[in-house]
Amino acid sequence: MLALVHLRKNETIPARAAGFGVSTATAWRYVDETLDVLAAWAPALQEALVGLGKGDFVIVDGTLIATDRVHADEPFQVIARPDGTPLTAARAHGIIQACLTRQILVLADRAYQRAGATVRIPYKNHREQPARYQEFNRDHARLRAPGERAFAQLKSWRLLRRARCSTPRIGTIVQAIHTLMTCDHSG
């Protein structure tokens, strides 16, 4: 519970320790151990793409996760199914290439311009844009909308708005949050 509150509220560990009636060292240990266990359950990129191949598509979006470290904001990407279910959240390494290898179509925003043969981005807005380009952009936005919601859910965890940790630890935090977002609540 302490780790969950830490992720949701982004309060300092000493404040959380006092709230739970434990020492700061114990609170750090509980949070670190819990995050490590949750992160271990998150799928790696190749695992997340299992079962997807030619004819399938995913939605990719990225962001910088702000940290309190100087010049150390970390780039992360979220990959979601067409229905918006997050598949994985990872640092921006190898995602486009993995989808290209499997011939998975990637719907992305304009930041992914010239990213690869299987990446589709909207057309640039020009005043004299043909109607078919405008229609493509509307369809593209409609298909990407569920992925945008998945990304917004990830950013709803306050810890990811401004992390107070080392940049390597952010990867563990993102994976732990992914596990919490996608765990099966039926059992």
Side-chain angles (χ1 to χ4, degrees):
M1 188 61 116
L2 195 139
L4 185 60
V5 170
H6 176 67
L7 291 171
R8 275 288 183 198
K9 295 186 143 213
N10 196 21
E11 294 176 351
T12 64
I13 292 290
R16 288 293 89 218
F20 279 86
V22 297
S23 72
T24 301
T26 300
W28 273 113
R29 192 181 77 228
Y30 286 174
V31 168
D32 281 346
E33 289 175 2
T34 303
L35 293 179
D36 288 340
V37 168
L38 290 170
W41 289 341
L45 176 60
Q46 295 303 326
E47 292 173 293
L49 297 177
V50 167
L52 296 174
K54 190 173 184 174
D56 292 321
F57 77 91
V58 294
I59 303 158
V60 174
D61 203 356
T63 191
L64 286 176
I65 296 177
T67 69
D68 62 356
R69 309 297 196 245
V70 177
H71 303 293
D73 294 352
E74 284 290 308
F76 278 85
Q77 292 177 321
V78 174
I79 304 169
R81 289 191 183 280
D83 67 359
T85 304
L87 291 171
T88 190
R91 284 202 175 129
H93 299 297
I95 292 171
I96 301 301
Q97 183 59 43
C99 290
L100 177 63
T101 302
R102 292 175 177 259
Q103 297 183 338
I104 300 169
L105 182 65
V106 176
L107 299 183
D109 59 24
R110 288 190 188 103
Y112 292 86
Q113 194 171 358
R114 293 186 280 280
T118 59
V119 178
R120 299 294 178 267
I121 62 171
Y123 288 102
K124 289 185 177 181
N125 288 328
H126 295 288
R127 296 200 190 279
E128 302 297 319
Q129 197 174 55
R132 71 177 192 273
Y133 287 7
Q134 293 173 8
E135 184 179 343
F136 175 87
N137 284 355
R138 278 192 301 275
D139 290 343
H140 188 272
R142 181 181 46 80
L143 291 170
R144 276 185 43 80
E148 294 286 344
R149 284 191 297 276
F151 199 74
Q153 288 174 339
L154 183 68
K155 293 293 272 192
S156 73
W157 296 77
R158 288 192 181 158
L159 187 70
L160 295 181
R161 293 183 192 161
R162 184 126 192 112
R164 287 190 219 108
C165 62
S166 65
T167 53
R169 192 68 178 154
I170 292 174
T172 302
I173 292 167
V174 169
Q175 290 172 322
I177 290 172
H178 176 267
T179 298
L180 291 169
M181 288 175 54
T182 58
C183 66
D184 183 8
H185 298 290
S186 63

